[in-house]
Amino acid sequence: MGKKINFQVCDDICMFQVFKEYVRVNEDNEFFVDGNFVTGIEERGVIVDFQNFNHTYEIFNLLGPHWGGWEQTPTAQSMYCIAKKWEEAYKAEIIDISKDSIEFHLDKELSDKEIDELFEEIRGLHAESNYDGGFEKLREIIKQEARFSIWWD
């Protein structure tokens, strides 16, 4: 099936270590993970096509101890469970990940009640909205663009 995730490797040594360990380049200068090719290079990272993933939350199995677990950031194992729950409840898939932020795309329109529940869960993770304007701006982006980004300080 395959899932594409923008993988931000330039802002943290642990994320770079994961990239260094798992991503390879072939004779055509195409990057791949386990035989799955990177589809493009973005300003903020590299879009990797994880064709062996059925769900984007599986990225946390790959990252393991290289992601989270510092200060109030959840561990990769905890975030795997949270992202799985959000995929099931809100049709949220990870589209961008860095050492301290995650962006999700929503494949369904959320009701105000669902947005409030999601915000409660985000606050329970000690995460913040990754937009100027905080949670009110986050609500606006969820409604208008069907995506949301959170981060940990």
Side-chain angles (χ1 to χ4, degrees):
M1 182 170 206
K3 296 294 178 180
K4 294 178 184 175
I5 301 172
N6 190 55
F7 196 71
Q8 297 186 35
V9 297
C10 61
D11 63 349
D12 180 72
I13 191 65
C14 287
M15 294 293 279
F16 177 76
Q17 283 299 114
V18 170
F19 188 83
K20 182 179 158 193
E21 184 173 340
Y22 294 102
V23 178
R24 305 287 180 255
V25 64
N26 67 13
E27 60 278 354
D28 295 325
N29 285 328
E30 296 172 309
F31 295 98
F32 65 95
V33 176
D34 294 329
N36 303 311
F37 293 95
V38 172
T39 59
I41 296 177
E42 297 268 322
E43 183 178 309
R44 299 181 338 176
V46 176
I47 297 174
V48 179
D49 185 0
F50 294 94
Q51 291 185 356
N52 56 328
F53 285 9
N54 292 315
H55 306 277
T56 57
Y57 56 80
E58 294 173 52
I59 188 72
F60 294 107
N61 286 337
L62 177 72
L63 293 173
H66 298 290
W67 193 92
W70 48 271
E71 295 180 9
Q72 295 184 340
T73 306
T75 63
Q77 182 180 13
S78 295
M79 203 60 221
Y80 173 98
C81 296
I82 293 160
K84 180 179 180 184
K85 177 183 175 191
W86 289 353
E87 182 180 302
E88 292 167 354
Y90 310 119
K91 304 290 186 227
E93 288 197 327
I94 298 167
I95 58 171
D96 190 284
I97 188 165
S98 75
K99 69 176 176 68
D100 62 359
S101 67
I102 307 171
E103 184 172 4
F104 293 84
H105 173 265
L106 297 162
D107 224 7
K108 83 174 222 180
E109 188 174 325
L110 300 187
S111 68
D112 287 331
K113 181 181 179 194
E114 288 174 314
I115 293 172
D116 291 340
E117 290 169 357
L118 177 62
F119 285 2
E120 187 176 317
E121 292 179 34
I122 291 170
R123 287 183 179 109
L125 295 171
H126 306 284
E128 298 289 332
S129 165
N130 206 7
Y131 306 102
D132 290 336
F135 282 93
E136 285 310 308
K137 181 66 175 181
L138 186 59
R139 179 181 300 276
E140 179 183 316
I141 290 173
I142 287 172
K143 288 185 168 282
Q144 293 177 357
E145 301 176 27
R147 65 181 176 89
F148 68 96
S149 182
I150 58 173
W151 75 287
W152 292 263
D153 190 9

